[in-house]
DNA sequence: GCCGAAATACTAACCGATTGGTATGTGATG
DNA sequence: CATCACATACCAATCGGTTAGTATTTCGGC
């Protein structure tokens, strides 16, 4: 890896860690450079603005999570139920391995939804995600696996909602929650519901 | 209503609307005073700091939502299932009537979880909420209404997660989503799950 | 009912600190 | 010697917060 690439990565990692802890506006460029051990001028040689640094992180999330998830699940042989399981497995695993990235991106919208520069890229992320899950659920309904009363788009939103919410709750309780047990509960409730059968 | 009380309310409303759109750190005192049509000095006569203004909003959420919900549901006669329905009804209704307050409070943690002044008050909110839901689910399990394999604390987290996630998704799609249909989907999935029975 | 003073609610100007961002210079590397 | 990767020093603008002073209300004594 070239030296500049390495520095770029270090900047992104530091920025991400600060952003996820203190928010985008709550984190200053000075804090980031301090964390990396770099001068301000050096950072601006790699990223033309604070916003550009953020857009880098957004793009990274799209290519490494959304795109990869869609590809992985599409390659999975099996019915809609198996594919939905595969989706949950993929996103749980990814979220566990890229905690900061996932948590930050999931809740970035709540801070920046009114921002001219970031509103559209963020909404696009969610649109792609929803479309994918919705199609999966449509398949499941056609195959007689899922409750046919469900509106696929709504159910997809509920899926993402649960996913976002799990992340949120997990952030709040990182220290005293067993991640795997939590994901298992999540999966059970989404698939089977709360009631006894 | 006294003039000062009216002004205080106007400040809080304006602050809330800006906070929910642009985040806490993304909103400046100047923006707030401009929106209210007040000078900076006047605002600081009502609230001693930006943080104090935020704490006011947090306290308002606790007394008007968490406390009210617990009281309302406790007064509700019926089994655990009916009480859980009542909880969902209460929070849906409250969220619909106090959109900015709910959305903001739900996601404030993601921006301020590392902040010395706000971390604890925010965590306390969620602790109270979770404890309440968890006890409800325990009742349901004892009454044979809910799946006895579920860990009540985990299921409570999943409930809150779904609740948070619904709000989040709803923020992202305010214009083109039917709120009631969405809540219905949420309720169905949480109670019955996705699969056909 | 009217007056004047105290209390209240506010404005305008200002503070030091910090913000995102830039211009210029320098030492190492190939 | 040219390019790269950085540091230093600086900028105007804005930040949260304060100050001194000014309208506006309120209310008891007459």
């Amino acid at each position: 890896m070239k030296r500049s690439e390495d520095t770029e990565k270090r900047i992104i990692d530091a920025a991400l860690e600060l952003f996820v802890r203190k928010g985008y506006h709550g984190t200053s460029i000075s804090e980031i450079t301090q964390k990396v051990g770099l001068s301000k001028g050096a950072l601006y040689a790699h990223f033309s603005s604070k916003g550009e640094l953020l857009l880098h992180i957004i793009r990274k999330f799209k290519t490494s999570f959304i795109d990869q998830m869609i590809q992985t699940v599409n390659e999975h042989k099996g019915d809609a139920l198996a594919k939905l399981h595969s989706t949950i497995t993929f996103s749980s695993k990814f979220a566990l391995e890229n905690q900061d990235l996932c948590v930050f991106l999931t809740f970035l919208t709540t801070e920046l939804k009114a921002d001219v520069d970031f509103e559209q890229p963020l909404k696009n992320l969610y649109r792609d995600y929803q479309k994918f899950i919705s199609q999966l659920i449509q398949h499941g309904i056609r195959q007689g696996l899922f409750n046919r009363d469900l509106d696929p788009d709504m159910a997809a939103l509920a899926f993402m909602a649960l996913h976002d919410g799990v992340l949120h709750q997990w952030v709040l309780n990182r220290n005293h929650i067993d991640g795997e047990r939590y994901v298992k509960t999540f999966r059970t409730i989404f698939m089977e519901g709360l009631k006894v059968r």
Side-chain angles (χ1 to χ4, degrees), chain A residues 116-162:
Chain A
V116 179
D117 296 328
F118 308 115
E119 189 186 355
Q120 212 48 55
L122 287 171
K123 286 205 169 173
N124 288 349
L125 274 187
Y126 276 95
R127 204 206 329 101
D128 292 353
Y129 196 172
Q130 186 189 357
K131 214 165 111 187
F132 175 69
I133 303 291
S134 174
Q135 283 172 353
L136 255 184
I137 293 176
Q138 279 175 51
H139 275 126
I141 293 175
R142 273 203 298 272
Q143 293 174 340
L145 296 167
F146 300 150
N147 189 336
R148 81 197 64 80
D149 294 336
L150 288 170
D151 176 328
D153 286 338
M154 284 291 166
L157 279 182
F159 178 90
M160 294 161 64
L162 195 47

Side-chain angles (χ1 to χ4, degrees), chain A residues 159-179:
Chain A
F159 178 90
M160 294 161 64
L162 195 47
H163 184 250
D164 292 355
V166 166
L167 266 175
H168 184 205
Q169 290 302 324
W170 189 68
V171 171
L172 289 172
N173 299 278
R174 261 191 224 219
N175 301 326
H176 43 90
I177 278 193
D178 177 346

Side-chain angles (χ1 to χ4, degrees), chain A residues 52-170:
Chain A
E52 184 56 37
L53 176 53
L54 179 60
L55 284 175
H56 252 83
I57 294 177
I58 294 176
R59 283 193 284 266
K60 186 180 168 183
F61 182 75
K62 176 168 180 1
T63 56
S64 65
F65 176 58
I66 308 273
D67 294 350
Q68 283 296 315
M69 178 187 66
I70 292 176
Q71 194 188 327
T72 302
V73 174
N74 277 342
E75 282 169 0
H76 186 102
K77 302 298 168 199
D79 61 14
L81 186 60
K83 286 198 175 187
L84 201 57
H85 267 105
S86 155
T87 305
I88 296 175
T89 302
F90 184 92
S91 28
S92 305
K93 200 176 152 207
F94 185 87
L96 230 103
E97 286 165 2
N98 304 270
Q99 302 179 5
D100 284 349
L101 184 61
C102 281
V103 170
F104 178 54
L105 252 291
T106 300
F107 298 105
L108 187 56
T109 43
T110 63
E111 192 184 344
L112 295 181
K113 63 180 141 340
D115 194 300
V116 179
D117 296 328
F118 308 115
E119 189 186 355
Q120 212 48 55
L122 287 171
K123 286 205 169 173
N124 288 349
L125 274 187
Y126 276 95
R127 204 206 329 101
D128 292 353
Y129 196 172
Q130 186 189 357
K131 214 165 111 187
F132 175 69
I133 303 291
S134 174
Q135 283 172 353
L136 255 184
I137 293 176
Q138 279 175 51
H139 275 126
I141 293 175
R142 273 203 298 272
Q143 293 174 340
L145 296 167
F146 300 150
N147 189 336
R148 81 197 64 80
D149 294 336
L150 288 170
D151 176 328
D153 286 338
M154 284 291 166
L157 279 182
F159 178 90
M160 294 161 64
L162 195 47
H163 184 250
D164 292 355
V166 166
L167 266 175
H168 184 205
Q169 290 302 324
W170 189 68

